[in-house]
Every structure is written in C-alpha cells, then in structure tokens.
Amino acid sequence: MEIKTIETHPFEDQNPGTSGLRKKVKTFQQPNYLENFVQSIFDSLDDIVDQKLVLGGDGRYFNRQAIQTIIKIAAANGFSELIIGQGGLLSTPAASHLIRKYKAYGGLVLSASHNPGGPEEDFGIKYNVGNGGPAPEKYTQAFYRRSKEIASYKIAEIPDIDLDTVGTQKFGTLTISILDPVNDYAELMQTIFDFDLLKQSIGSGYITLKFDAMHAITGPYAKTILEDMLGAKPGSVINAVPLEDFGGGHPDPNLAHAEELAEAMFGPNAPTFGAASDGDGDRNMIMGSQIFVTPSDSLAILAANASLIPGYAKGISGVARSMPTSQAVDRVAAQQNLPCFETPTGWKFFGNLLDAGKITLCGEESFGTGSDHVREKDGLWAVLFWLNLIARKRQSVADIVTEHWQRFGRDIYARHDYEAVATDIADGIVAYLREQLPTLPGKAFGDYIVLYADEFAYTDPVDGSVSKNQGIRIGFENGSRIVFRLSGTGTVGATLRIYLERYEPDSNLHDQDAQSALAPLIELAEKFCEIKKRTGRNGPTVIT
C-alpha cells in the first residue's frame, strides 16, 4: 500500500480529559484535527509495528467516518491487524474485553459516553492500553505534548473498508478483522453469571424486566442477552436500535433522561426490575418496582452479596470507589474485613488496583460499576449481577435494598449538577472554596461541625504516582460530607457537581426522601460555594 506523509499544524486544545478527548463534532471535522490526535497517540507509543489494535465506537454521528480515517492512519503506522466491531460498533466494556482476549496492543474507543450525539453535538476518542483500561495520565499527558508539536501525519492510500460484513480483509501485510460486536462479550457474561437460573426465573415470570438502551450501543447487546439468550419477552428492551443522534435524546441513564423507563417503574403494574445504560454502554441505572437504587448503594449491595454470584463465589479481594461516591461500600468492606480504596474520579485509577489483584469490585457514583472481568465500567454486567441476585435471593429490588440498609445503615446521598456554567464563574467558585478550606475545621454550622476541609489528592498504592486537585471535600463530625468537583466530561463551559451525603444508622429513618433529609447540607453547600448567587440560577440542572 502507498503511504503518504501529510504536513499539518498543531491544535492547542487536544488535551484529553477524564475519558479521552471530547469536543463538538464540528471541531473533530476540521481538516487534520482527528488525524493530528490519532497520529499524536501513535507517535507517543512504543513498538506499535506489527501489533494488533481494537477499534470501535458507540455509533454516534461521525463514528463511521472517523473509523475509516483511523484505519488508514493505523495502517500507515505499521499495525498488522485491526479488530473492529461490525458496523464500527463496540460498547466500551466489550472493547476492553476484546483487547484482553485477543492480546491486542491497545484500542481506540470512539465515544463521548453519556453526552448527546448528532451533527451539532459531541464526539470523543480515547486510547485504551493493553490491559483493556483507559490510558493512565502518563500516556494522556504524552499525547497532549505530542499534539502541541506535531508537524505531519502518515496515512495509507487504501479504499474505505466494508465495516458491515463479518470476516477478514487483507491489504498488503495488514489484516482487518470485522467481528460481531456482541458474541465475545456474551460468552464472557456466561462465565460470570448463572444463565440457567436467570432463564428459569425469567421464563417462569418470577422476574419481569424493562431495559432502556436509550437508542445507544447496548441495544444489540441487551437484545441478544436479555431477550434471545435469557428469554425476556420481546420488547423488554426498549429504544433498542442505536442511532447517530440517540433518537434526539440524552443517553445518560438517570431519572431525568430515562424518563420512559422511570415512568414505567413508578407506575402501576411495574416490572420486577428496570435498568438503563448510556451512550457507550459502560454506565447503568438500576430500578425496581417503585424504587430507584443510587449507584453508591448499588456498589455496596453488589459487594455485600458477591459470594452469591458464580463468578465471585470464591470471594473478592477488595473494593474501591471514587472519592465522591458515598461511603456505603466502605461499611461493607469494614464488616467483611476487605481492603477499601478511595480514588479520584476516572476509571483509569482503578486499573492498577485491578491488575495488582488488590480489588475485585469498583464503582463511581456517576452510574459506573465494574469488576476485574474487564478494565472498564460495565453497564450490562451490572444489570446481570442484579438479575442474578434477585433470582438467587428470591427478593424484590426494594427488599434487597431495605435489608442492606438494616444491616449497614443508609448513606442518604444526592448529586446536584450545574451544567454549562461559564468557565470563569466555575473557576471563581473553586478559588473561593479553596480560600475557605484552612478556616473551616472546628467550625459549627447548626448540628454540623466541620471535621476536615481539604482538596483531595491520591497516591497510587501500586506505582506511587500522585494525582492532585481531585475535588474539594468538607467532612463533618457526624459522618456527613459535601464534595465539590468540576467535571471533565462536558464540552460546553464547565459542570460543577455537588455531592451530598448523610449517614443514617436508625432503620426507622431509612425511608426519608433524600432531598428533604439533605436539606441542611444543601443550604450549607450554597453557603460555601455561592453557585446560585454567582450564576443567577434557581437550582441545579440535574439532581440524581
């Protein structure tokens, strides 16, 4: 094949965030923008010649065009085999699994996760390393450095690839393998969960379910596993066809955006179990009849009951949570004498712990849960875990949650998101919070006495790397917390996330409405950060 070297110039805004580079589609469509970033990745990696690369995305607008370009650049840079999901589709956890199963050098995942899709919306690309997990900071920093000095990229002159036919194509020394995106992942799930029990429980009508794929990548996966393999009634998976604009919706699995599912689960004749996943399939929302399970509680419940699942019957080595996630899983770990780690937000921070065997389960409050089966959070895995628990325990979702609270207490929890805040205002809020930190410990605000106030920093216990400025924490003597953090997943302005947590050990008080129970902390959060005052807003964009 003929390889061309194309002169280019750097773009100054190609600094990968928490989960890769995310920008508006039109930004990526600029001449040389995508090419520069992909070449910067390849230039920063060692010994990529004759290696395998996994490639796929969530099917959002620009996915297919970007894949064709990346194929040509990967070919020019010497990869010997590209493993690509049929139609250019791969869920993020499925991509992680393929990297691990086929011992690929790494993979490129095209997604902006839960962000909207379409010509005027968002696109993203991230690199996953050989363990299947997101590239750690030393990699992403290298990509950014290279992107600021790049002067040319290499591209092979080969025709566009047929992405829709499963099979192998050859171009000189390059092999392109188009795989069914679901098969390998479905086989992995069968090694973890009791599919026979699930088939029996669903077939008998003991479990009825509704899964909202939100017109995103998990549609084909959920249809195959839940309906075809486990026997859920046709139509149990709704919004099942992946669309480039996610049907005009916002593929974020929460009560605000998965409105159709929420209405069904809180309505009459609700199914036993409800769930949703996001754009790229790595997040999950869990519901039962008349109940929503917070992601923090979900992680704790999975950890407390892991021994009931075939794949974890021999026990788990430890657990980890992102810092803003509630301390519910900490209480499980303490009672079961398990190691428990608190990391910054970003799945890449769990990778070292998983590879070192220090943890088996991990999760984030932002609807991500996972285990050592891959190196990404995994939405459909969490759904199957919950279904397996319901089938094994013979309890409803509400009963499982209530039993857990009675045993461990309830961490009453909420997240308030203020989206698309002007960057200068958001930076001003963070600066204002930092100024207050030294003055807060020991101060009393009604019943809340400040125990500590700091900016979270993390030292990786495996490689010793340090990550600073990972969110502002204000903790109180009664165990309550307020956390403030600027999110790195948006593409317009900044998103300020405020996390509120209050521990309630008294089972007679477990049924409180979270927003009412957290009202004093909500008032304190405004006192500390003044976001309503500074933005003129009446309240958060989204409450979860």
Side-chain angles (χ1 to χ4, degrees):
M1 70 185 84
E2 184 178 348
I3 296 171
K4 281 191 171 183
T5 299
I6 308 295
E7 291 186 1
T8 187
H9 63 83
F11 294 88
E12 294 300 318
D13 63 345
Q14 294 193 329
N15 188 9
T18 305
S19 296
L21 184 67
R22 294 182 185 174
K23 302 288 180 182
K24 289 298 180 186
V25 166
K26 289 184 177 179
T27 299
F28 271 101
Q29 288 177 323
Q30 295 174 90
N32 296 347
Y33 192 90
L34 173 68
E35 292 88 342
N36 274 24
F37 188 63
V38 173
Q39 187 66 60
S40 296
I41 292 173
F42 293 160
D43 285 349
S44 304
L45 301 174
D46 297 325
D47 303 321
I48 62 174
V49 174
D50 294 331
Q51 298 284 357
K52 297 178 184 177
L53 182 75
V54 170
L55 178 59
D58 61 13
R60 67 179 56 235
Y61 188 86
F62 194 56
N63 189 79
R64 292 178 74 97
Q65 301 96 307
I67 284 177
Q68 296 289 359
T69 299
I70 293 168
I71 289 170
K72 296 175 174 66
I73 298 174
N77 280 272
F79 284 96
S80 62
E81 183 177 0
L82 303 181
I83 300 169
I84 305 173
Q86 185 181 18
L89 299 177
L90 279 177
S91 76
T92 291
S96 179
H97 175 53
L98 291 181
I99 293 169
R100 295 167 64 79
K101 179 175 179 177
Y102 294 107
K103 297 180 171 55
Y105 186 92
L108 289 173
V109 181
L110 309 186
S111 173
S113 189
H114 55 294
N115 294 9
E120 305 299 322
E121 298 296 349
D122 299 343
F123 188 76
I125 178 171
K126 71 172 181 174
Y127 179 71
N128 281 33
V129 295
N131 74 345
E137 285 185 340
K138 67 178 181 179
Y139 286 85
T140 56
Q141 289 168 2
F143 303 160
Y144 183 44
R145 286 195 300 269
R146 179 59 182 157
S147 77
K148 292 193 293 184
E149 62 188 23
I150 191 169
S152 66
Y153 62 86
K154 293 186 288 187
I155 191 161
E157 289 201 313
I158 56 177
D160 281 356
I161 304 303
D162 175 8
L163 297 175
D164 299 309
T165 302
V166 171
T168 299
Q169 304 168 53
K170 295 279 287 188
F171 293 89
T173 59
L174 175 67
T175 300
I176 296 178
S177 301
I178 307 296
L179 304 183
D180 182 298
V182 178
N183 284 348
D184 291 282
Y185 178 84
E187 288 176 4
L188 177 63
M189 292 301 103
Q190 291 178 83
T191 69
I192 299 172
F193 302 108
D194 189 340
F195 270 44
D196 289 336
L197 176 62
L198 288 174
K199 278 189 246 182
Q200 187 278 324
S201 298
I202 292 170
S204 69
Y206 179 74
I207 293 177
T208 54
L209 64 94
K210 185 179 286 288
F211 179 91
D212 189 350
M214 306 189 82
H215 287 303
I217 192 63
T218 48
Y221 293 83
K223 287 278 286 185
T224 296
I225 295 174
L226 298 179
E227 292 188 7
D228 299 344
M229 298 176 70
L230 297 179
K233 290 180 180 179
S236 295
V237 180
I238 61 173
N239 302 317
V241 178
L243 300 174
E244 288 190 335
D245 66 349
F246 306 115
H250 194 145
D252 192 354
N254 59 43
L255 294 173
H257 296 306
E259 188 176 359
E260 182 180 355
L261 174 69
E263 186 176 322
M265 297 309 298
F266 283 109
N269 305 312
T272 308
F273 178 80
S277 192
D278 69 328
D280 66 332
D282 63 357
R283 299 179 187 229
N284 69 89
M285 177 172 72
I286 302 299
M287 302 184 73
S289 176
Q290 317 303 318
I291 186 172
F292 160 73
V293 185
T294 72
S296 296
D297 278 342
S298 181
L299 173 62
I301 289 167
L302 301 191
N305 293 281
S307 63
L308 300 179
I309 305 300
Y312 310 103
K314 294 181 180 178
I316 59 177
S317 60
V319 295
R321 62 169 174 84
S322 64
M323 181 273 288
T325 301
S326 94
Q327 300 162 100
V329 75
D330 303 39
R331 306 184 200 288
V332 175
Q335 191 172 119
Q336 297 187 356
N337 198 28
L338 290 170
C340 182
F341 298 87
E342 182 181 42
T343 73
T345 296
W347 208 260
K348 57 192 174 187
F349 292 103
F350 294 134
N352 277 355
L353 298 171
L354 289 163
D355 286 348
K358 291 183 176 292
I359 63 170
T360 303
L361 300 181
C362 46
E364 298 181 331
E365 55 70 38
S366 53
F367 294 78
T369 329
S371 85
D372 58 359
H373 70 290
V374 290
R375 292 299 180 269
E376 289 278 6
K377 46 187 175 279
D378 189 346
L380 199 49
W381 166 89
V383 167
L384 291 167
F385 201 128
W386 266 95
L387 287 170
N388 206 152
L389 279 188
I390 295 166
R392 178 70 189 276
K393 291 173 74 73
R394 312 306 284 181
Q395 289 178 301
S396 68
V397 173
D399 286 345
I400 291 172
V401 171
T402 299
E403 179 184 80
H404 184 86
W405 287 346
Q406 288 173 343
R407 183 177 173 191
F408 297 99
R410 180 187 177 190
D411 283 85
I412 303 173
Y413 185 85
R415 187 182 90 193
H416 289 193
D417 288 3
Y418 289 82
E419 296 177 348
V421 177
T423 303
D424 59 338
I425 294 177
D427 290 343
I429 289 171
V430 172
Y432 181 60
L433 284 164
R434 283 179 179 144
E435 290 171 7
Q436 297 175 71
L437 293 180
T439 69
L440 290 176
K443 280 191 176 179
F445 299 90
D447 294 333
Y448 292 85
I449 302 171
V450 177
L451 179 64
Y452 62 88
D454 62 14
E455 193 157 11
F456 181 59
Y458 176 69
T459 300
D460 191 299
V462 178
D463 64 17
S465 60
V466 177
S467 300
K468 297 181 179 179
N469 304 323
Q470 297 296 318
I472 290 171
R473 306 184 298 180
I474 300 174
F476 301 92
E477 290 184 357
N478 63 3
S480 299
R481 292 193 310 164
I482 304 173
V483 174
F484 303 88
R485 179 178 164 271
L486 290 180
S487 171
T489 59
T491 59
V492 177
T495 296
L496 178 68
R497 290 185 171 157
I498 303 174
Y499 310 86
L500 308 136
E501 177 181 1
R502 192 193 111 198
Y503 179 60
E504 181 53 72
D506 187 348
S507 60
N508 293 317
L509 300 176
H510 284 169
D511 289 335
Q512 296 179 78
D513 172 73
Q515 301 307 311
S516 299
L518 295 169
L521 288 174
I522 294 169
E523 289 183 18
L524 281 177
E526 174 62 19
K527 176 180 177 63
F528 293 139
C529 77
E530 296 184 343
I531 189 166
K532 293 179 185 176
K533 176 181 175 182
R534 290 169 181 251
T535 63
R537 301 188 187 188
N538 294 322
T541 313
V542 179
I543 296 175
T544 49

